Amino acid sequence: MIVPPTEIRRGLFENLTMNQIDRLFEIVTTYEKHGWKLRSVLMTAETSAAGADRDMTRIAATPIEASTIDAIWFSRASHDKREAWELRLVADTPYALFETFAADEPAELCADMRLEMEERMREHVEKLTGELSLIKSEIPDASAS
């Protein structure tokens, strides 16, 4: 059986329906299992609204910041007395930005670098969203048939 390209493209979006809160909890569980410490959560208004009726005690002690993306900050000790920080996108496809900081690096410099990482993540999401919109626009509307 030959699968038409439109069906292949439509399959790209099937997993996008998983609840972002469920996806977030799944990612947190995986990272914590590997020794990462949850530091903060960046959450869109849509995801925040979706979590309003959910038990959020899993991340209740974690700062949640309003954002244009859903992403999670983690950290853990690294080699040579450094600290590793990772910003993980809350999405089906794993995507993260990683940086290590020396113990004696100024806190302001570390904070600036993390803000820079957040901006790079936003740019990635914008690019990805644009590509997905283009693909979606090429898929014929099944309801029009």
Side-chain angles (χ1 to χ4, degrees):
M1 174 180 174
I2 298 174
V3 179
T6 54
E7 290 303 312
I8 293 170
R9 289 188 187 126
R10 193 169 286 124
L12 291 172
F13 303 103
E14 288 175 0
N15 289 332
L16 296 178
T17 60
M18 180 183 199
N19 182 297
Q20 280 293 87
I21 300 297
D22 292 336
R23 190 175 286 118
L24 182 144
F25 290 155
E26 184 179 291
I27 292 167
V28 169
T29 299
T30 300
Y31 271 70
E32 287 179 339
K33 185 171 79 174
H34 294 284
W36 290 91
K37 180 180 177 188
L38 176 62
R39 291 301 197 128
S40 68
V41 176
L42 306 178
M43 195 177 288
T44 63
E46 295 82 11
T47 301
S48 183
D53 61 346
R54 297 287 306 272
D55 178 9
M56 300 293 278
T57 55
R58 178 90 170 86
I59 60 169
T62 306
I64 299 175
E65 302 173 32
S67 182
T68 58
I69 59 171
D70 291 321
I72 312 167
W73 276 110
F74 295 97
S75 72
R76 71 176 178 187
S78 187
H79 65 286
D80 295 331
K81 298 180 184 175
R82 297 180 68 84
E83 185 175 39
W85 280 74
E86 186 162 309
L87 179 60
R88 171 60 157 80
L89 183 64
V90 179
D92 280 335
T93 305
Y95 183 82
L97 298 174
F98 176 87
E99 186 65 58
T100 61
F101 300 99
D104 61 352
E105 266 184 285
E108 299 82 24
L109 178 63
C110 297
D112 287 346
M113 290 180 74
R114 286 192 297 270
L115 287 174
E116 210 173 283
M117 291 170 69
E118 287 179 18
E119 185 55 35
R120 288 194 345 240
M121 182 69 76
R122 281 186 197 87
E123 289 170 3
H124 170 76
V125 169
E126 287 171 11
K127 180 181 175 195
L128 183 62
T129 303
E131 291 171 0
L132 289 175
S133 294
L134 179 63
I135 292 170
K136 277 185 175 180
S137 71
E138 295 174 1
I139 299 172
D141 186 1
S143 63
S145 304

